[in-house]
Amino acid sequence: MSVNQQAHTGPPYGQPQPGYQGYQQPAYGGQSLPGVPQAQYGAYNGPMPGYQQPVPPQGSLRAPPTSGAPPPASGASHPSGPLAYSQFEHGDVQNGIPASAAPVQRPPASQPFLPGSAPTPVIQQYGAPPASVQQLRNHMAGMTIGSTAASAPPPAGLGYASVPPVSGSFSATGSGLYTPYSASQGPPLTSVSQGLPLAQPPLPAQTISTQRPPTQVPGFTPPPPSTGVGPSSYPPTTGAPRPPAMPGPPLPGQTVAAPPSSQPNHVSSPPPPSTMAGLHPGPPMSGLHGPPPPTHPPQPGYPMQQNGSFGQMRGPQPNYGGAYPGAPNYGSPPGPPPPPKRLDPDSIPSPIQVIEDDRNNRGSEPFVTGVRGQVPPLVTTNFLVKDQGNASPRYIRCTSYNIPCTSDMAKQSQVPLAAVIKPLATLPPEETLPYLVDHGESGPVRCNRCKAYMCPFMQFIEGGRRFQCCFCSCVTEVPPHYFQHLDHTGKRVDFYDRPELSLGSYEFLATVDYCKNNKFPSPPAFIFMIDVSYNAVKSGLVRLICEELKSLLDYLPREGNMEESAIRVGFVTYNKVLHFYNVKSSLAQPQMMVVSDVADMFVPLLDGFLVNVNESRTVIASLLDQIPEMFADTRETETVFAPVIQAGLEALKAAECAGKLFIFHTSLPIAEAPGKLKNRDDRKLINTDKEKTLFQPQTSFYNNLAKDCVAQGCCVDLFLFPNQYLDVATLGVVPYQTGGSIYKYAYFQLETDQYRFLNDLRRDVQKEVGFDAVMRVRTSTGIRATDFFGAFYMSNTTDVEMAGLDCDKTITVEFKHDDKLSEDSGALLQCALLYTSCAGQRRLRIHNLSLNCCTQLADLYRNCETDTLINYLAKFAYRGVLSSPVKTVRDALINQCAQILACYRKNCASPSSAGQLILPECMKLLPVYLNCVLKSDVLQPGPEVTTDDRAYIRQLVTSMDVAETNVFFYPRLLPLTKADVDSDSLPAAIRNSEERLSKGDIYLLENGLNIFVWVGVSVQQGLIQNLFGVSSFSQISNALSTLPVLENPFSKKVRSIVDMLQGQRSRYMKLIVVKQEDKLEMLFKHFLVEDKSLTGGASYVDFLCHMHKEIRQLLS
């Protein structure tokens, strides 16, 4: 049976959803289905410069908080005037990098304001707030917060059959929906307002305050809190009262007075309450009005909130409606049901605000790496780095820069200690590349015992004749050629002349001892392997690749000063058999040799297969012209896959060099050959214990093949063009374990997808790659590297091996304690990468980083980096799906984050009412970002997400850097109509929620894979004309894959924004135009991550409430 006739067992990304008959959505990597408007998933990409400051959107929206750089408070921890970091000039510094006297802290990201007063940021105050605040608080405590006509409670016993009990966990039945905290069930919630300065807790924190009325009705036993922490699915407990049915949202025209929304400290009056027109996307929250809460010590942290209960009520309260309408009231007379009240999205932590504040506070000064344990600016902030002894955050980012001294403390906090390392990261042009140090035949100076490389933290003793290792404390003789005298501070006098003594990152030229078989390597080779089966030829793909290679071969990577690239190239085509080409420069025409015995693969020629591009230019051009003609009339639909990799591997072995295979492949390899696969796609496995098999390879054959490839330094990059199931989970094993990349273009169509594919191919061929790479991470005594995540192979417990490592790949390393650490000495990491450059030079790249250590949990929570934490947690979860049911993985994520926040609440925040949710200042975005990970396609797929899409995303995310995961999980949403056509800046980003969109505007959303341009139904006709070149909304085409080039300021501005974003990403993003109320809008809404998702994912507001409940359960 031919591939083309195979039944679709799983729908492509975007089958019609119920109620959207006949409409197809697109696919990841995504190309249009035949005859369907183009709109699909694209590709992931590189570091992003950050978000702009929000401007209040127009139309029916609530104005988001604006922001300005807060004036420095006295005692603020960041230096004004000249930077206090470069102590190296003063001569009073001992060898190595000084520990910072006071840890440098990230300033609070949004400051409270006092209505009508001068801005006075409150940082780390202890003690009572000013009297005026107390009066204001008392005044607010007595206010009622909006009311509407209450709807009557439904009759008892109706519609409750499937409602879970109060514990409010996720249920994962069937479709994997979150049931509990939806509009109709779950704990009553209240508004949260920000606005008054209060005494800070010992740590800056975000307080979301809610106070429960204290009394309970005598004789009523509240239902027990659920014991299982984290999501669980269960039937309703017998005898437990039913959860309440919450009244619906106000009808159009009714207003609900909103509490003051969060504002920066320079705004002197709160905005007017917003009018809710129509339905809001998140569920309304019901709360209680009533007497002021009992007096309790003023709650530190963020601004004062309104009274009310954030979390479940434990029983009916006097004079209020029973907590659960329809439940027995145990003697208290039934009161009126509580009026609906909605948690105000403006009052909960905003990613946009945090990003904006960090850019204002930290974007202008360079980040100088001379101080131990400094938390760098966010990945979304554009900043310059000055290396003064610690590696740049572009190379290494940590989940925390102040790590617990003991394993008990680390276990108590549950904060994972991890570093995301990008050893070959590309630097901006203003920053210096690592220096290359050549120590001649003796090679780099290393510690005798642990083999750590010379670095700024090594301590020279005995007048410079010996040095003490900073990692293992062993004393080593300084080689005679390396000896240098010390100055009066104990520092070598050549300190500044040697990169390895004064910088955090540098390279050593490796000696022959660091090479395979003790001989220097040959330059690497690139082999292009093209599928010439019927599908590939018919779609125009073969001709496109051949045309592109003619010019692309002139851009192979080369060392900075070399005239031409040292890389040799070879060519193979294949379907059921393999065709090798002799392109020796002495030939007039290329020669083809066919190997049909795919079961025992060999390379039929040695001389003339791998050639220098310049020498064989005419023969190569002739070959690339002939290939599309030779196979133009092919009827062969079946392909092989494993023998193709084996052929490339054998060719590199014969040439005794490392290299990369570029494989262009279209279908499931069902032809008789080693590595033959069957179609095993089965959507019925989703949400079952067998779901994990969908992510696992269907045969171990490819794991063994990957091992052989790594041993030879043969890296595989795979370009996939599937029209149906292809088994990415299996085909991806070799690229994944060799350090290669996978690119996927489902339903490839020449006219819409060629531009994206060619951009990806050009960048992939040209980017910096290290071959035959081995990486080891050393740590100072007390911690050690225990776990690794990324695209690589490990044959032992310490060495990360990669046939190829490019400038976009990261390796994530987790550390655990094996002893106590000390606050004085801190902790050190050294990442050493041994690799072969594209010119065949063997090198060592070294990155060093020093971290602080703490005995107080407060110091740990003050120095965490949420973006890096989410990067680690996503990778941990995405690996978990290989061995555990998806639901178990989701539960574990929620549980771990609840424990992190509960530990902070218990040990670091000031005592306060249980009704308050208190988040550490630098982790206040943990709930919103975690919810995005939980709702991602790997952990909660919609019906339109294919098995291949999920496997593809799982592998992509595993080697993403922090900037890429940041925008992938929380996409960037820009109002294009607010862009200033005369400036170079981006318009201010807005939050990812439908209620932030105005139908009179045009928005751009990017997530590193796709760029969506969303057009509202009421956009002015002039704007449509300027951007799309058509006269009305109805004429805008969904099939656009690029914006038309029009000569007007708006068109130029929007195209320059798109180009700027494309330039920041490591993959070319697919452009998708979405018209409001069009069928494609369903796909777009999938990325509005603060809203409830169609797959049952919670809204941000709901999830925050759920996390609060989990934390309270842990604390009780």
Side-chain angles (χ1 to χ4, degrees):
M1 175 178 171
S2 88
V3 174
N4 289 342
Q5 292 142 8
Q6 252 185 286
H8 288 242
T9 44
Y13 190 140
Q15 283 300 45
Q17 299 205 3
Y20 287 86
Q21 297 306 322
Y23 151 61
Q24 312 248 34
Q25 277 170 323
Y28 265 119
Q31 292 53 11
S32 53
L33 306 167
V36 174
Q38 269 47 277
Q40 280 78 0
Y41 268 71
Y44 288 95
N45 297 320
M48 53 188 267
Y51 292 72
Q52 305 292 337
Q53 170 168 337
V55 283
Q58 325 248 294
S60 62
L61 305 187
R62 177 189 295 105
T66 51
S67 157
S74 56
S77 58
H78 74 217
S80 52
L83 282 169
Y85 304 138
S86 51
Q87 299 106 317
F88 285 154
E89 285 99 59
H90 304 311
D92 56 345
V93 177
Q94 73 289 10
N95 211 58
I97 290 189
S100 51
V104 178
Q105 291 156 21
R106 185 172 289 164
S110 74
Q111 311 257 357
F113 80 103
L114 188 56
S117 73
T120 47
V122 183
I123 300 180
Q124 300 259 325
Q125 267 187 339
Y126 298 89
S132 59
V133 179
Q134 195 60 55
Q135 289 154 8
L136 269 163
R137 186 183 300 111
N138 295 342
H139 170 71
M140 284 176 73
M143 278 175 15
T144 34
I145 313 162
S147 65
T148 51
S151 52
L158 270 186
Y160 286 125
S162 64
V163 176
V166 244
S167 85
S169 302
F170 300 111
S171 105
T173 44
S175 62
L177 305 183
Y178 290 94
T179 18
Y181 42 87
S182 68
S184 60
Q185 312 143 13
L189 303 172
T190 59
S191 318
V192 177
S193 77
Q194 288 183 288
L196 301 175
L198 289 176
Q200 291 282 42
L203 269 188
Q206 169 94 25
T207 313
I208 299 182
S209 141
T210 49
Q211 176 65 25
R212 237 178 343 161
T215 47
Q216 290 198 334
V217 176
F220 172 78
T221 317
S226 73
T227 44
V229 177
S232 57
S233 62
Y234 41 68
T237 5
T238 45
R242 305 288 189 193
M246 291 196 182
L251 298 170
Q254 290 179 321
T255 55
V256 176
S261 60
S262 124
Q263 296 189 20
N265 51 18
H266 58 265
V267 181
S268 59
S269 65
S274 63
T275 306
M276 294 197 196
L279 301 183
H280 268 285
M285 304 298 166
S286 80
L288 298 170
H289 301 312
T295 51
H296 58 286
Q299 173 47 41
Y302 250 63
M304 172 59 182
Q305 323 295 345
Q306 253 127 4
N307 66 318
S309 160
F310 192 91
Q312 82 195 43
M313 282 175 23
R314 297 305 168 105
Q317 312 297 331
N319 310 326
Y320 300 96
Y324 311 111
N329 263 331
Y330 298 100
S332 81
K341 191 187 294 176
R342 183 167 184 269
L343 188 61
D344 178 12
D346 277 340
S347 63
I348 56 181
S350 157
I352 304 303
Q353 189 68 46
V354 170
I355 286 164
E356 181 57 29
D357 289 337
D358 191 75
R359 294 178 70 222
N360 289 334
N361 294 329
R362 306 197 64 184
S364 52
E365 293 290 327
F367 178 68
V368 182
T369 71
V371 182
R372 183 175 85 193
Q374 277 186 103
V375 183
L378 298 180
V379 282
T380 43
T381 299
N382 243 335
F383 60 98
L384 271 182
V385 179
K386 289 195 175 164
D387 185 341
Q388 291 196 353
N390 280 298
S392 160
R394 302 191 206 289
Y395 294 124
I396 307 182
R397 273 187 180 265
C398 293
T399 52
S400 178
Y401 287 81
N402 200 331
I403 61 182
C405 282
T406 64
S407 59
D408 289 349
M409 193 171 150
K411 281 191 192 105
Q412 187 185 358
S413 74
Q414 286 286 310
V415 175
L417 305 174
V420 180
I421 306 174
K422 196 175 183 182
L424 298 179
T426 310
L427 299 183
E430 313 85 86
E431 292 177 20
T432 317
L433 291 170
Y435 290 99
L436 181 60
V437 179
D438 184 359
H439 282 313
E441 286 182 17
S442 59
V445 179
R446 303 176 69 176
C447 166
N448 270 346
R449 185 199 287 158
C450 71
K451 300 293 184 237
Y453 294 86
M454 180 54 66
C455 71
F457 313 114
M458 297 289 191
Q459 194 71 42
F460 287 88
I461 53 175
E462 297 177 21
R465 284 190 295 279
R466 305 169 86 182
F467 68 90
Q468 183 167 26
C469 177
C470 51
F471 294 95
C472 71
S473 304
C474 176
V475 174
T476 301
E477 294 281 334
V478 173
H481 72 90
Y482 198 71
F483 173 78
Q484 187 51 271
H485 294 285
L486 308 183
D487 65 13
H488 65 287
T489 66
K491 207 158 67 172
R492 283 174 57 123
V493 296
D494 62 353
F495 179 79
Y496 291 111
D497 304 329
R498 292 195 176 271
E500 73 273 22
L501 297 182
S502 53
L503 298 175
S505 300
Y506 42 88
E507 292 199 315
F508 290 120
L509 206 51
T511 58
V512 76
D513 307 337
Y514 292 87
C515 302
K516 241 184 223 164
N517 308 326
N518 276 356
K519 64 181 203 186
F520 285 112
S522 309
F526 281 2
I527 305 177
F528 297 91
M529 316 185 90
I530 306 167
D531 175 345
V532 288
S533 64
Y534 178 75
N535 276 353
V537 174
K538 184 188 66 169
S539 66
L541 182 62
V542 173
R543 187 174 297 279
L544 181 69
I545 293 168
C546 292
E547 279 303 314
E548 177 60 29
L549 287 179
K550 285 185 205 169
S551 54
L552 187 54
L553 294 178
D554 287 330
Y555 297 96
L556 297 177
R558 57 175 188 255
E559 296 293 349
N561 51 2
M562 290 173 62
E563 284 294 306
E564 63 177 52
S565 174
I567 292 174
R568 291 170 296 162
V569 298
F571 303 89
V572 171
T573 55
Y574 67 94
N575 40 44
K576 268 166 65 169
V577 297
L578 275 77
H579 323 107
F580 292 80
Y581 297 93
N582 184 345
V583 282
K584 198 172 174 181
S585 56
S586 56
L587 294 173
Q589 283 293 319
Q591 295 171 348
M592 173 163 124
M593 299 189 183
V594 180
V595 176
S596 52
D597 181 7
V598 289
D600 184 19
M601 187 43 64
F602 67 99
V603 179
L605 72 162
L606 289 178
D607 192 28
F609 179 63
L610 294 177
V611 297
N612 174 292
V613 173
N614 280 342
E615 290 171 10
S616 298
R617 183 176 297 281
T618 52
V619 194
I620 291 173
S622 170
L623 170 68
L624 294 172
D625 282 335
Q626 288 177 41
I627 287 174
E629 308 308 328
M630 272 192 288
F631 298 100
D633 300 324
T634 185
R635 284 282 166 268
E636 184 54 74
T637 56
E638 293 189 357
T639 57
V640 295
F641 184 70
V644 181
I645 297 175
Q646 287 170 325
L649 173 59
E650 292 302 322
L652 294 177
K653 270 186 190 165
E656 296 185 343
C657 69
K660 186 181 267 200
L661 314 182
F662 296 84
I663 303 179
F664 305 91
H665 189 78
T666 60
S667 59
L668 190 71
I670 56 170
E672 266 321 311
K676 171 185 173 180
L677 300 179
K678 59 180 189 289
N679 188 334
R680 51 152 190 175
D681 189 17
D682 186 359
R683 293 193 58 85
K684 293 201 256 334
L685 298 181
I686 292 178
N687 292 317
T688 69
D689 284 352
K690 289 191 176 165
E691 183 172 6
K692 57 180 180 253
T693 59
L694 297 175
F695 295 111
Q696 298 164 353
Q698 59 172 285
T699 160
S700 62
F701 182 87
Y702 288 95
N703 295 77
N704 298 326
L705 181 54
K707 184 177 169 182
D708 296 341
C709 286
V710 172
Q712 181 56 42
C714 169
C715 177
V716 177
D717 279 2
L718 182 56
F719 293 80
L720 295 173
F721 306 86
N723 287 337
Q724 58 194 10
Y725 178 72
L726 189 78
D727 203 347
V728 173
T730 305
L731 298 189
V733 166
V734 178
Y736 186 67
Q737 293 192 14
T738 58
S741 305
I742 304 177
Y743 298 83
K744 182 163 163 283
Y745 312 87
Y747 307 103
F748 179 81
Q749 292 197 326
L750 208 59
E751 56 281 8
T752 53
D753 297 312
Q754 66 166 336
Y755 195 62
R756 181 161 62 97
F757 160 57
L758 293 179
N759 271 284
D760 284 342
L761 176 60
R762 285 167 196 157
R763 191 166 189 283
D764 197 57
V765 167
Q766 294 173 41
K767 66 185 171 187
E768 183 189 354
V769 186
F771 293 95
D772 236 336
V774 183
M775 187 183 99
R776 182 177 284 195
V777 179
R778 292 179 173 83
T779 53
S780 52
T781 312
I783 52 169
R784 63 194 170 89
T786 55
D787 211 350
F788 301 85
F789 304 82
F792 53 74
Y793 174 78
M794 289 187 84
S795 56
N796 58 36
T797 56
T798 54
D799 295 340
V800 174
E801 300 172 49
M802 294 153 289
L805 172 68
D806 64 49
C807 54
D808 297 321
K809 294 282 185 307
T810 62
I811 293 97
T812 301
V813 185
E814 186 180 8
F815 303 97
K816 291 258 165 54
H817 287 74
D818 56 7
D819 204 347
K820 283 189 175 146
L821 295 164
S822 91
E823 285 188 281
D824 299 337
S825 52
L828 302 174
L829 317 177
Q830 184 179 79
C831 162
L833 176 78
L834 175 65
Y835 71 99
T836 301
S837 74
C838 59
Q841 198 175 52
R842 202 71 176 147
R843 294 181 178 180
L844 283 151
R845 179 168 287 200
I846 313 295
H847 298 297
N848 302 286
L849 187 63
S850 60
L851 302 172
N852 286 328
C853 296
C854 58
T855 52
Q856 300 297 317
L857 282 164
D859 292 325
L860 164 69
Y861 283 101
R862 204 181 271 124
N863 292 278
C864 286
E865 235 265 297
T866 298
D867 293 324
T868 311
L869 192 55
I870 288 292
N871 178 285
Y872 165 83
L873 289 171
K875 290 171 182 177
F876 185 77
Y878 281 18
R879 185 177 68 184
V881 298
L882 291 172
S883 53
S884 305
V886 171
K887 187 182 158 329
T888 309
V889 172
R890 294 160 48 86
D891 291 2
L893 269 184
I894 293 170
N895 187 24
Q896 181 167 8
C897 288
Q899 289 192 340
I900 290 171
L901 297 174
C903 174
Y904 172 80
R905 173 66 188 260
K906 183 177 173 187
N907 299 288
C908 308
S910 303
S912 61
S913 131
Q916 284 175 319
L917 172 60
I918 302 177
L919 303 170
E921 174 59 35
C922 65
M923 278 192 192
K924 64 185 182 186
L925 298 181
L926 189 60
V928 63
Y929 286 163
L930 177 71
N931 192 32
C932 297
V933 175
L934 292 169
K935 293 201 287 189
S936 63
D937 289 334
V938 172
L939 297 182
Q940 196 171 38
E944 76 290 353
V945 181
T946 67
T947 306
D948 276 346
D949 293 331
R950 296 177 73 196
Y952 175 63
I953 292 301
R954 197 191 73 75
Q955 292 199 3
L956 271 175
V957 168
T958 307
S959 48
M960 274 188 189
D961 69 12
V962 180
E964 288 172 320
T965 50
N966 174 276
V967 78
F968 177 69
F969 290 115
Y970 192 93
R972 176 155 44 164
L973 183 58
L974 306 173
L976 294 179
T977 25
K978 304 283 189 295
D980 179 356
V981 293
D982 300 320
S983 102
D984 290 338
S985 63
L986 292 173
I990 59 171
R991 291 171 69 170
N992 280 214
S993 172
E994 193 175 0
E995 65 179 53
R996 310 276 166 177
L997 304 180
S998 153
K999 58 186 181 185
D1001 287 321
I1002 300 173
Y1003 298 86
L1004 179 150
L1005 182 144
E1006 66 125 353
N1007 73 339
L1009 267 189
N1010 303 297
I1011 290 181
F1012 291 94
V1013 175
W1014 183 88
V1015 188
V1017 287
S1018 312
V1019 172
Q1020 293 168 7
Q1021 191 245 325
L1023 282 174
I1024 290 174
Q1025 184 72 52
N1026 283 344
L1027 190 55
F1028 299 104
V1030 295
S1031 56
S1032 72
F1033 178 81
S1034 59
Q1035 290 175 302
I1036 299 171
S1037 164
N1038 277 349
L1040 290 173
S1041 58
T1042 53
L1043 292 171
V1045 178
L1046 302 172
E1047 286 304 313
N1048 66 71
F1050 186 58
S1051 172
K1052 284 179 184 169
K1053 176 65 183 176
V1054 172
R1055 283 182 288 113
S1056 79
I1057 290 174
V1058 169
D1059 291 344
M1060 181 199 277
L1061 299 179
Q1062 293 284 23
Q1064 290 162 13
R1065 305 275 164 247
S1066 62
R1067 297 181 174 224
Y1068 197 83
M1069 295 182 280
K1070 183 174 182 71
L1071 185 95
I1072 301 168
V1073 175
V1074 177
K1075 292 150 74 172
Q1076 188 179 2
E1077 294 167 11
D1078 184 73
K1079 290 169 183 165
L1080 262 183
E1081 201 182 23
M1082 304 298 285
L1083 181 63
F1084 172 75
K1085 285 181 181 175
H1086 178 65
F1087 297 99
L1088 297 176
V1089 290
E1090 288 197 22
D1091 297 341
K1092 198 167 177 171
S1093 71
L1094 294 168
T1095 55
S1099 70
Y1100 174 21
V1101 166
D1102 287 352
F1103 186 71
L1104 198 61
C1105 303
H1106 179 75
M1107 280 304 285
H1108 186 214
K1109 213 171 121 302
E1110 293 284 333
I1111 292 164
R1112 288 172 65 175
Q1113 273 177 12
L1114 287 173
L1115 292 175
S1116 62

